[in-house]
Amino acid sequence: MQGIEEVRTVLSTPKNILITSHRNPDGDAIGSSLAMCLWLEKKGHRVMVAFPSEYPAIYHWMPEIEQVQIYDVDPDPIAEFVNHVEVSIILDYNSLTRIDKLGKLLEDKNLYTILIDHHLYPDPIGDFILSDTSASSTCELVYRFIESYDRSNLNDLTIATCIYTGILTDTGSFQYSTSPALFRCVAALQEIGLDTTAIHDRIFNTMEEKNLRLLGHCLANRMEILEEYRTGIIFLNKHDFQVYDIQRGDTEGIVNYLLKLKNVHMAVFIRQQPTIIKISFRSKGDFSVEEIAKNYFNGGGHRNASGGYTKSSLAATLDLIKAILPSYKEQLIKPII
Ligand code: 5GP
Ligand code: MN
């Protein structure tokens, strides 16, 4: 792995290390950050994991998660730690703009920076960069990184649990972005005794009743299918957020239901949040939602899974999406299977 020798030199003495990941951290952001943290702590480093915003409650069970600092909740411990930080590790994002004010804290520091990520178009940040857009997840890349650093370090069930969580969630339970290398990695994790069924249950089978009712509401009352453009849209307005007491993470996975329809090639899920309209895009086949997220919604991500936002109204956002569709019609109606 190119550059790993330099990393080895940097990490050869105990360091103060800050690990950051993106706003609204998902299983991959959390899993990769915790895996890296646990690994570095075993090597004698002092590590802080910081996210710009809270993580979903379904990840409360993860090892060491109680140590994670949230900038939105309390920036002070992070700001204080940054004064002593020597190494910055950027996981599952590739532009400091994705971590808002936390990014500003790091911007002017001249820190040795390690970037491990699988999103498209990385900014050239990082002294050591492991960026592979064909990888299933940042967790798979963290596995690859630790493996090339020192294979014996992977014989740790806690680290394996964190890595597996990100792989499981970012591949939609092994539906997409799979590869022989990924399955070899998972096989190695299972060989050390990982209970994959238990992890699956913890993440996917622990819903509250109100969440299943919210899903019912989305499908019954908030879903629009634009068959002509092979597009499905679900939106939630401010009122829905109140009625269903929607908390962080409660809307996770809803967008994927649209893709279950034979005639939906692109899924769009729009949420009216207090200050912005947040949008998730998903697609099947070659159709790139990344381009739409980037060009029209200040966002980005991957070809088949991207996100973005607008600062306009919910109605204007819906109108904008519908206005864009005709120019993508030819690509959208292309048969997938
Ligand atoms: P989700 O729809 O689950 O929030 O995000 C899907 C993918 O798009 C993730 O890989 C996420 O990192 C990326 N993404 C979501 N929102 C944004 C955004 O506002 N900007 C960028 N650049 N990427 C985003
Ligand atoms: Mn990821």
Side-chain angles (χ1 to χ4, degrees):
M1 188 172 286
Q2 210 191 346
I4 195 94
E5 288 313 317
E6 191 182 58
V7 177
R8 220 185 276 281
T9 309
V10 172
L11 298 182
S12 63
T13 52
K15 292 280 180 321
N16 290 330
I17 302 176
L18 181 70
I19 297 176
T20 52
S21 195
H22 58 78
R23 179 162 279 282
N24 301 325
D26 53 12
D28 192 31
I30 303 164
S32 56
S33 300
L34 295 177
M36 201 64 165
C37 172
L38 288 160
W39 177 71
L40 289 163
E41 281 179 346
K42 269 176 51 166
K43 296 203 148 307
H45 300 287
R46 198 168 150 239
V47 190
M48 178 185 276
V49 174
F51 300 144
S53 65
E54 287 266 36
Y55 50 84
I58 54 162
Y59 298 109
H60 276 322
W61 59 272
M62 289 191 69
E64 303 280 320
I65 199 155
E66 64 285 354
Q67 290 188 30
V68 169
Q69 300 289 327
I70 310 293
Y71 191 88
D72 278 0
V73 174
D74 187 3
D76 296 345
I78 305 171
E80 157 59 21
F81 191 71
V82 164
N83 289 329
H84 313 284
V85 161
E86 298 158 284
V87 178
S88 159
I89 304 190
I90 292 177
L91 298 175
D92 203 37
Y93 71 101
N94 56 32
S95 161
L96 287 181
T97 60
R98 287 280 281 142
I99 58 165
D100 315 320
K101 288 180 204 146
L102 186 47
K104 295 250 178 311
L105 273 185
L106 292 172
E107 226 167 40
D108 307 325
K109 303 253 166 212
N110 196 17
L111 302 172
Y112 185 80
T113 300
I114 295 174
L115 180 145
I116 304 180
D117 181 49
H118 67 136
H119 289 88
L120 294 165
Y121 313 119
D123 278 355
I125 40 172
D127 300 285
F128 173 85
I129 299 179
L130 176 53
S131 161
D132 180 354
T133 58
S134 72
S136 67
S137 52
T138 299
C139 277
E140 182 187 350
L141 294 174
V142 165
Y143 175 89
R144 233 189 264 171
F145 172 80
I146 299 177
E147 189 186 35
S148 44
Y149 195 98
D150 180 0
R151 215 184 180 296
S152 64
N153 285 170
L154 285 166
N155 201 7
D156 179 313
L157 209 47
T158 319
I159 293 177
T161 299
C162 298
I163 291 177
Y164 185 76
T165 297
I167 291 174
L168 184 68
T169 52
D170 255 28
T171 60
S173 304
F174 300 98
Q175 288 178 80
Y176 36 77
S177 308
T178 61
S179 66
L182 174 72
F183 285 116
R184 275 195 289 271
C185 156
V186 171
L189 297 178
Q190 204 166 30
E191 247 153 19
I192 62 170
L194 194 68
D195 185 346
T196 55
T197 309
I199 296 175
H200 189 279
D201 280 343
R202 284 190 140 136
I203 298 170
F204 297 113
N205 297 333
T206 51
M207 235 186 194
E208 304 285 338
E209 179 185 336
K210 68 165 189 176
N211 296 131
L212 205 53
R213 295 204 183 278
L214 169 66
L215 175 63
H217 171 63
C218 287
L219 302 181
N221 311 314
R222 294 285 182 261
M223 183 173 86
E224 198 174 339
I225 303 301
L226 305 161
E227 185 114 13
E228 186 188 357
Y229 299 111
R230 304 288 190 271
T231 295
I233 302 175
I234 291 176
F235 67 90
L236 287 172
N237 59 33
K238 270 187 194 153
H239 184 64
D240 296 320
F241 271 77
Q242 269 175 5
V243 172
Y244 286 88
D245 180 31
I246 301 174
Q247 305 295 326
R248 196 172 295 283
D250 285 352
T251 56
E252 205 72 24
I254 291 177
V255 64
N256 298 313
Y257 283 86
L258 290 164
L259 292 184
K260 290 192 178 291
L261 292 172
K262 186 172 62 186
N263 279 337
V264 166
H265 295 173
M266 173 165 75
V268 186
F269 181 36
I270 307 167
R271 283 95 71 201
Q272 186 176 31
Q273 295 183 345
T275 53
I276 56 165
I277 307 277
K278 185 75 195 152
I279 313 163
S280 289
F281 297 93
R282 300 290 186 273
S283 65
K284 290 178 193 157
D286 293 341
F287 186 75
S288 173
V289 283
E290 198 271 340
E291 193 184 310
I292 293 183
K294 190 176 62 190
N295 291 349
Y296 299 95
F297 298 100
N298 314 294
H302 313 276
R303 187 187 66 185
N304 297 115
S306 283
Y309 66 91
T310 69
K311 291 198 165 161
S312 50
S313 68
L314 180 58
T317 305
L318 278 159
D319 286 346
L320 174 59
I321 286 165
K322 290 176 187 173
I324 294 164
L325 292 177
S327 57
Y328 287 96
K329 183 171 178 177
E330 215 170 291
Q331 290 178 59
L332 280 165
I333 63 172
K334 252 179 41 192
I336 305 269
I337 33 173

PDB file of all heavy atoms in Angstrom, residues 30 33-35 37-39 41 47 49 51 55 59-69 158-159 162:
ATOM      1  N   ILE A  30     -19.615   5.570  11.447  1.00  0.00           N
ATOM      2  CA  ILE A  30     -19.428   5.212  12.861  1.00  0.00           C
ATOM      3  C   ILE A  30     -18.510   3.996  12.983  1.00  0.00           C
ATOM      4  O   ILE A  30     -17.550   3.992  13.752  1.00  0.00           O
ATOM      5  CB  ILE A  30     -20.793   4.929  13.533  1.00  0.00           C
ATOM      6  CG1 ILE A  30     -21.717   6.138  13.404  1.00  0.00           C
ATOM      7  CG2 ILE A  30     -20.619   4.539  14.989  1.00  0.00           C
ATOM      8  CD1 ILE A  30     -23.183   5.839  13.675  1.00  0.00           C
ATOM      9  N   SER A  33     -14.882   4.772  12.109  1.00  0.00           N
ATOM     10  CA  SER A  33     -14.251   5.638  13.122  1.00  0.00           C
ATOM     11  C   SER A  33     -13.924   4.847  14.387  1.00  0.00           C
ATOM     12  O   SER A  33     -12.831   4.980  14.955  1.00  0.00           O
ATOM     13  CB  SER A  33     -15.171   6.802  13.486  1.00  0.00           C
ATOM     14  OG  SER A  33     -15.445   7.576  12.349  1.00  0.00           O
ATOM     15  N   LEU A  34     -14.875   4.018  14.831  1.00  0.00           N
ATOM     16  CA  LEU A  34     -14.645   3.256  16.067  1.00  0.00           C
ATOM     17  C   LEU A  34     -13.580   2.177  15.860  1.00  0.00           C
ATOM     18  O   LEU A  34     -12.737   1.944  16.735  1.00  0.00           O
ATOM     19  CB  LEU A  34     -15.953   2.643  16.573  1.00  0.00           C
ATOM     20  CG  LEU A  34     -17.031   3.656  17.019  1.00  0.00           C
ATOM     21  CD1 LEU A  34     -18.307   2.934  17.441  1.00  0.00           C
ATOM     22  CD2 LEU A  34     -16.516   4.529  18.165  1.00  0.00           C
ATOM     23  N   ALA A  35     -13.610   1.532  14.696  1.00  0.00           N
ATOM     24  CA  ALA A  35     -12.599   0.491  14.414  1.00  0.00           C
ATOM     25  C   ALA A  35     -11.203   1.108  14.455  1.00  0.00           C
ATOM     26  O   ALA A  35     -10.277   0.583  15.079  1.00  0.00           O
ATOM     27  CB  ALA A  35     -12.862  -0.158  13.058  1.00  0.00           C
ATOM     28  N   CYS A  37     -10.306   3.909  15.890  1.00  0.00           N
ATOM     29  CA  CYS A  37     -10.025   4.378  17.253  1.00  0.00           C
ATOM     30  C   CYS A  37      -9.521   3.221  18.121  1.00  0.00           C
ATOM     31  O   CYS A  37      -8.495   3.340  18.796  1.00  0.00           O
ATOM     32  CB  CYS A  37     -11.303   4.986  17.826  1.00  0.00           C
ATOM     33  SG  CYS A  37     -11.213   5.407  19.557  1.00  0.00           S
ATOM     34  N   LEU A  38     -10.245   2.089  18.072  1.00  0.00           N
ATOM     35  CA  LEU A  38      -9.867   0.934  18.894  1.00  0.00           C
ATOM     36  C   LEU A  38      -8.479   0.426  18.523  1.00  0.00           C
ATOM     37  O   LEU A  38      -7.670   0.084  19.383  1.00  0.00           O
ATOM     38  CB  LEU A  38     -10.902  -0.190  18.691  1.00  0.00           C
ATOM     39  CG  LEU A  38     -12.272   0.076  19.335  1.00  0.00           C
ATOM     40  CD1 LEU A  38     -13.348  -0.798  18.710  1.00  0.00           C
ATOM     41  CD2 LEU A  38     -12.202  -0.173  20.837  1.00  0.00           C
ATOM     42  N   TRP A  39      -8.219   0.401  17.225  1.00  0.00           N
ATOM     43  CA  TRP A  39      -6.927  -0.083  16.741  1.00  0.00           C
ATOM     44  C   TRP A  39      -5.797   0.839  17.205  1.00  0.00           C
ATOM     45  O   TRP A  39      -4.766   0.379  17.714  1.00  0.00           O
ATOM     46  CB  TRP A  39      -6.974  -0.189  15.202  1.00  0.00           C
ATOM     47  CG  TRP A  39      -5.684  -0.610  14.593  1.00  0.00           C
ATOM     48  CD1 TRP A  39      -5.110  -1.839  14.662  1.00  0.00           C
ATOM     49  CD2 TRP A  39      -4.796   0.212  13.812  1.00  0.00           C
ATOM     50  NE1 TRP A  39      -3.914  -1.846  13.965  1.00  0.00           N
ATOM     51  CE2 TRP A  39      -3.709  -0.599  13.441  1.00  0.00           C
ATOM     52  CE3 TRP A  39      -4.818   1.535  13.382  1.00  0.00           C
ATOM     53  CZ2 TRP A  39      -2.654  -0.134  12.658  1.00  0.00           C
ATOM     54  CZ3 TRP A  39      -3.768   2.016  12.607  1.00  0.00           C
ATOM     55  CH2 TRP A  39      -2.707   1.186  12.256  1.00  0.00           C
ATOM     56  N   GLU A  41      -5.853   2.956  19.738  1.00  0.00           N
ATOM     57  CA  GLU A  41      -5.713   2.923  21.203  1.00  0.00           C
ATOM     58  C   GLU A  41      -4.886   1.709  21.625  1.00  0.00           C
ATOM     59  O   GLU A  41      -4.074   1.793  22.534  1.00  0.00           O
ATOM     60  CB  GLU A  41      -7.092   2.914  21.866  1.00  0.00           C
ATOM     61  CG  GLU A  41      -7.700   4.311  21.898  1.00  0.00           C
ATOM     62  CD  GLU A  41      -9.086   4.380  22.518  1.00  0.00           C
ATOM     63  OE1 GLU A  41      -9.724   3.312  22.703  1.00  0.00           O
ATOM     64  OE2 GLU A  41      -9.548   5.497  22.777  1.00  0.00           O
ATOM     65  N   VAL A  47      -6.734   8.988  21.426  1.00  0.00           N
ATOM     66  CA  VAL A  47      -7.610   9.206  20.268  1.00  0.00           C
ATOM     67  C   VAL A  47      -8.938   9.832  20.684  1.00  0.00           C
ATOM     68  O   VAL A  47      -9.526   9.446  21.703  1.00  0.00           O
ATOM     69  CB  VAL A  47      -7.916   7.860  19.556  1.00  0.00           C
ATOM     70  CG1 VAL A  47      -8.609   8.101  18.215  1.00  0.00           C
ATOM     71  CG2 VAL A  47      -6.637   7.041  19.347  1.00  0.00           C
ATOM     72  N   VAL A  49     -12.746  10.583  18.813  1.00  0.00           N
ATOM     73  CA  VAL A  49     -13.607  10.495  17.628  1.00  0.00           C
ATOM     74  C   VAL A  49     -14.614  11.625  17.735  1.00  0.00           C
ATOM     75  O   VAL A  49     -15.275  11.774  18.771  1.00  0.00           O
ATOM     76  CB  VAL A  49     -14.346   9.141  17.564  1.00  0.00           C
ATOM     77  CG1 VAL A  49     -15.337   9.130  16.406  1.00  0.00           C
ATOM     78  CG2 VAL A  49     -13.360   7.977  17.431  1.00  0.00           C
ATOM     79  N   PHE A  51     -17.835  13.688  15.648  1.00  0.00           N
ATOM     80  CA  PHE A  51     -18.765  13.831  14.521  1.00  0.00           C
ATOM     81  C   PHE A  51     -19.407  15.220  14.611  1.00  0.00           C
ATOM     82  O   PHE A  51     -19.646  15.711  15.720  1.00  0.00           O
ATOM     83  CB  PHE A  51     -19.885  12.780  14.590  1.00  0.00           C
ATOM     84  CG  PHE A  51     -19.405  11.346  14.543  1.00  0.00           C
ATOM     85  CD1 PHE A  51     -20.055  10.364  15.283  1.00  0.00           C
ATOM     86  CD2 PHE A  51     -18.337  10.972  13.746  1.00  0.00           C
ATOM     87  CE1 PHE A  51     -19.645   9.037  15.238  1.00  0.00           C
ATOM     88  CE2 PHE A  51     -17.908   9.646  13.698  1.00  0.00           C
ATOM     89  CZ  PHE A  51     -18.565   8.676  14.445  1.00  0.00           C
ATOM     90  N   TYR A  55     -25.394  10.678  16.139  1.00  0.00           N
ATOM     91  CA  TYR A  55     -25.575   9.428  15.389  1.00  0.00           C
ATOM     92  C   TYR A  55     -26.931   8.819  15.751  1.00  0.00           C
ATOM     93  O   TYR A  55     -27.469   9.081  16.835  1.00  0.00           O
ATOM     94  CB  TYR A  55     -24.431   8.447  15.682  1.00  0.00           C
ATOM     95  CG  TYR A  55     -24.166   8.233  17.145  1.00  0.00           C
ATOM     96  CD1 TYR A  55     -24.903   7.316  17.887  1.00  0.00           C
ATOM     97  CD2 TYR A  55     -23.193   8.974  17.806  1.00  0.00           C
ATOM     98  CE1 TYR A  55     -24.673   7.138  19.241  1.00  0.00           C
ATOM     99  CE2 TYR A  55     -22.966   8.807  19.177  1.00  0.00           C
ATOM    100  CZ  TYR A  55     -23.707   7.888  19.870  1.00  0.00           C
ATOM    101  OH  TYR A  55     -23.502   7.722  21.211  1.00  0.00           O
ATOM    102  N   TYR A  59     -27.358   2.741  16.797  1.00  0.00           N
ATOM    103  CA  TYR A  59     -25.935   2.399  16.954  1.00  0.00           C
ATOM    104  C   TYR A  59     -25.433   2.556  18.395  1.00  0.00           C
ATOM    105  O   TYR A  59     -24.234   2.432  18.654  1.00  0.00           O
ATOM    106  CB  TYR A  59     -25.082   3.241  15.997  1.00  0.00           C
ATOM    107  CG  TYR A  59     -25.414   2.968  14.544  1.00  0.00           C
ATOM    108  CD1 TYR A  59     -26.079   3.906  13.769  1.00  0.00           C
ATOM    109  CD2 TYR A  59     -25.085   1.745  13.957  1.00  0.00           C
ATOM    110  CE1 TYR A  59     -26.404   3.642  12.446  1.00  0.00           C
ATOM    111  CE2 TYR A  59     -25.408   1.471  12.640  1.00  0.00           C
ATOM    112  CZ  TYR A  59     -26.063   2.428  11.891  1.00  0.00           C
ATOM    113  OH  TYR A  59     -26.383   2.150  10.589  1.00  0.00           O
ATOM    114  N   HIS A  60     -26.358   2.794  19.328  1.00  0.00           N
ATOM    115  CA  HIS A  60     -25.948   2.998  20.722  1.00  0.00           C
ATOM    116  C   HIS A  60     -25.175   1.815  21.314  1.00  0.00           C
ATOM    117  O   HIS A  60     -24.412   1.980  22.260  1.00  0.00           O
ATOM    118  CB  HIS A  60     -27.173   3.255  21.613  1.00  0.00           C
ATOM    119  CG  HIS A  60     -27.605   4.694  21.611  1.00  0.00           C
ATOM    120  ND1 HIS A  60     -26.712   5.732  21.590  1.00  0.00           N
ATOM    121  CD2 HIS A  60     -28.833   5.260  21.625  1.00  0.00           C
ATOM    122  CE1 HIS A  60     -27.373   6.873  21.584  1.00  0.00           C
ATOM    123  NE2 HIS A  60     -28.662   6.616  21.595  1.00  0.00           N
ATOM    124  N   TRP A  61     -25.422   0.647  20.773  1.00  0.00           N
ATOM    125  CA  TRP A  61     -24.795  -0.572  21.314  1.00  0.00           C
ATOM    126  C   TRP A  61     -23.334  -0.723  20.879  1.00  0.00           C
ATOM    127  O   TRP A  61     -22.622  -1.579  21.404  1.00  0.00           O
ATOM    128  CB  TRP A  61     -25.578  -1.812  20.817  1.00  0.00           C
ATOM    129  CG  TRP A  61     -25.590  -1.883  19.314  1.00  0.00           C
ATOM    130  CD1 TRP A  61     -26.495  -1.294  18.491  1.00  0.00           C
ATOM    131  CD2 TRP A  61     -24.628  -2.521  18.463  1.00  0.00           C
ATOM    132  NE1 TRP A  61     -26.164  -1.513  17.178  1.00  0.00           N
ATOM    133  CE2 TRP A  61     -25.018  -2.273  17.141  1.00  0.00           C
ATOM    134  CE3 TRP A  61     -23.476  -3.281  18.702  1.00  0.00           C
ATOM    135  CZ2 TRP A  61     -24.304  -2.762  16.031  1.00  0.00           C
ATOM    136  CZ3 TRP A  61     -22.765  -3.760  17.604  1.00  0.00           C
ATOM    137  CH2 TRP A  61     -23.188  -3.494  16.298  1.00  0.00           C
ATOM    138  N   MET A  62     -22.865   0.102  19.973  1.00  0.00           N
ATOM    139  CA  MET A  62     -21.533  -0.165  19.409  1.00  0.00           C
ATOM    140  C   MET A  62     -20.395   0.070  20.416  1.00  0.00           C
ATOM    141  O   MET A  62     -20.489   0.951  21.274  1.00  0.00           O
ATOM    142  CB  MET A  62     -21.319   0.668  18.144  1.00  0.00           C
ATOM    143  CG  MET A  62     -22.189   0.118  17.018  1.00  0.00           C
ATOM    144  SD  MET A  62     -21.790   0.802  15.440  1.00  0.00           S
ATOM    145  CE  MET A  62     -20.174   0.081  15.153  1.00  0.00           C
ATOM    146  N   PRO A  63     -19.321  -0.711  20.288  1.00  0.00           N
ATOM    147  CA  PRO A  63     -18.219  -0.605  21.245  1.00  0.00           C
ATOM    148  C   PRO A  63     -17.636   0.813  21.288  1.00  0.00           C
ATOM    149  O   PRO A  63     -17.402   1.398  20.234  1.00  0.00           O
ATOM    150  CB  PRO A  63     -17.166  -1.583  20.705  1.00  0.00           C
ATOM    151  CG  PRO A  63     -17.827  -2.396  19.659  1.00  0.00           C
ATOM    152  CD  PRO A  63     -19.089  -1.730  19.257  1.00  0.00           C
ATOM    153  N   GLU A  64     -17.453   1.340  22.478  1.00  0.00           N
ATOM    154  CA  GLU A  64     -16.772   2.637  22.700  1.00  0.00           C
ATOM    155  C   GLU A  64     -17.558   3.843  22.185  1.00  0.00           C
ATOM    156  O   GLU A  64     -17.031   4.959  22.195  1.00  0.00           O
ATOM    157  CB  GLU A  64     -15.384   2.654  22.019  1.00  0.00           C
ATOM    158  CG  GLU A  64     -14.443   1.563  22.453  1.00  0.00           C
ATOM    159  CD  GLU A  64     -13.760   1.854  23.777  1.00  0.00           C
ATOM    160  OE1 GLU A  64     -13.375   2.998  24.013  1.00  0.00           O
ATOM    161  OE2 GLU A  64     -13.641   0.908  24.570  1.00  0.00           O
ATOM    162  N   ILE A  65     -18.803   3.638  21.748  1.00  0.00           N
ATOM    163  CA  ILE A  65     -19.507   4.772  21.134  1.00  0.00           C
ATOM    164  C   ILE A  65     -19.776   5.887  22.141  1.00  0.00           C
ATOM    165  O   ILE A  65     -19.881   7.061  21.784  1.00  0.00           O
ATOM    166  CB  ILE A  65     -20.798   4.308  20.415  1.00  0.00           C
ATOM    167  CG1 ILE A  65     -21.257   5.379  19.416  1.00  0.00           C
ATOM    168  CG2 ILE A  65     -21.904   3.945  21.405  1.00  0.00           C
ATOM    169  CD1 ILE A  65     -22.083   4.889  18.292  1.00  0.00           C
ATOM    170  N   GLU A  66     -19.831   5.532  23.416  1.00  0.00           N
ATOM    171  CA  GLU A  66     -20.108   6.554  24.444  1.00  0.00           C
ATOM    172  C   GLU A  66     -18.979   7.587  24.543  1.00  0.00           C
ATOM    173  O   GLU A  66     -19.163   8.672  25.078  1.00  0.00           O
ATOM    174  CB  GLU A  66     -20.406   5.904  25.810  1.00  0.00           C
ATOM    175  CG  GLU A  66     -19.281   5.128  26.458  1.00  0.00           C
ATOM    176  CD  GLU A  66     -19.001   3.748  25.837  1.00  0.00           C
ATOM    177  OE1 GLU A  66     -19.745   3.272  24.947  1.00  0.00           O
ATOM    178  OE2 GLU A  66     -18.014   3.149  26.245  1.00  0.00           O
ATOM    179  N   GLN A  67     -17.817   7.262  23.981  1.00  0.00           N
ATOM    180  CA  GLN A  67     -16.685   8.205  24.018  1.00  0.00           C
ATOM    181  C   GLN A  67     -16.716   9.224  22.885  1.00  0.00           C
ATOM    182  O   GLN A  67     -15.943  10.175  22.873  1.00  0.00           O
ATOM    183  CB  GLN A  67     -15.377   7.435  23.889  1.00  0.00           C
ATOM    184  CG  GLN A  67     -15.039   6.611  25.111  1.00  0.00           C
ATOM    185  CD  GLN A  67     -13.638   6.030  24.993  1.00  0.00           C
ATOM    186  OE1 GLN A  67     -12.767   6.608  24.365  1.00  0.00           O
ATOM    187  NE2 GLN A  67     -13.445   4.878  25.600  1.00  0.00           N
ATOM    188  N   VAL A  68     -17.595   8.995  21.906  1.00  0.00           N
ATOM    189  CA  VAL A  68     -17.621   9.864  20.729  1.00  0.00           C
ATOM    190  C   VAL A  68     -18.085  11.268  21.122  1.00  0.00           C
ATOM    191  O   VAL A  68     -19.027  11.423  21.899  1.00  0.00           O
ATOM    192  CB  VAL A  68     -18.560   9.267  19.648  1.00  0.00           C
ATOM    193  CG1 VAL A  68     -18.811  10.256  18.533  1.00  0.00           C
ATOM    194  CG2 VAL A  68     -17.986   7.964  19.106  1.00  0.00           C
ATOM    195  N   GLN A  69     -17.415  12.278  20.598  1.00  0.00           N
ATOM    196  CA  GLN A  69     -17.794  13.669  20.852  1.00  0.00           C
ATOM    197  C   GLN A  69     -18.621  14.201  19.684  1.00  0.00           C
ATOM    198  O   GLN A  69     -18.296  13.930  18.526  1.00  0.00           O
ATOM    199  CB  GLN A  69     -16.537  14.541  20.997  1.00  0.00           C
ATOM    200  CG  GLN A  69     -15.624  14.129  22.134  1.00  0.00           C
ATOM    201  CD  GLN A  69     -16.223  14.435  23.497  1.00  0.00           C
ATOM    202  OE1 GLN A  69     -16.954  15.417  23.673  1.00  0.00           O
ATOM    203  NE2 GLN A  69     -15.935  13.583  24.467  1.00  0.00           N
ATOM    204  N   THR A 158     -13.851  -6.951  18.715  1.00  0.00           N
ATOM    205  CA  THR A 158     -14.477  -5.619  18.846  1.00  0.00           C
ATOM    206  C   THR A 158     -14.239  -4.804  17.574  1.00  0.00           C
ATOM    207  O   THR A 158     -15.160  -4.173  17.036  1.00  0.00           O
ATOM    208  CB  THR A 158     -13.894  -4.888  20.076  1.00  0.00           C
ATOM    209  OG1 THR A 158     -13.759  -5.832  21.126  1.00  0.00           O
ATOM    210  CG2 THR A 158     -14.787  -3.786  20.509  1.00  0.00           C
ATOM    211  N   ILE A 159     -13.015  -4.831  17.094  1.00  0.00           N
ATOM    212  CA  ILE A 159     -12.710  -4.115  15.850  1.00  0.00           C
ATOM    213  C   ILE A 159     -13.493  -4.748  14.697  1.00  0.00           C
ATOM    214  O   ILE A 159     -14.078  -4.051  13.860  1.00  0.00           O
ATOM    215  CB  ILE A 159     -11.175  -4.136  15.568  1.00  0.00           C
ATOM    216  CG1 ILE A 159     -10.438  -3.318  16.635  1.00  0.00           C
ATOM    217  CG2 ILE A 159     -10.873  -3.607  14.169  1.00  0.00           C
ATOM    218  CD1 ILE A 159      -8.922  -3.311  16.504  1.00  0.00           C
ATOM    219  N   CYS A 162     -17.073  -3.552  14.543  1.00  0.00           N
ATOM    220  CA  CYS A 162     -17.211  -2.203  13.976  1.00  0.00           C
ATOM    221  C   CYS A 162     -17.079  -2.232  12.457  1.00  0.00           C
ATOM    222  O   CYS A 162     -17.862  -1.608  11.736  1.00  0.00           O
ATOM    223  CB  CYS A 162     -16.161  -1.264  14.576  1.00  0.00           C
ATOM    224  SG  CYS A 162     -16.339  -1.061  16.345  1.00  0.00           S
TER     225      CYS A 162
END
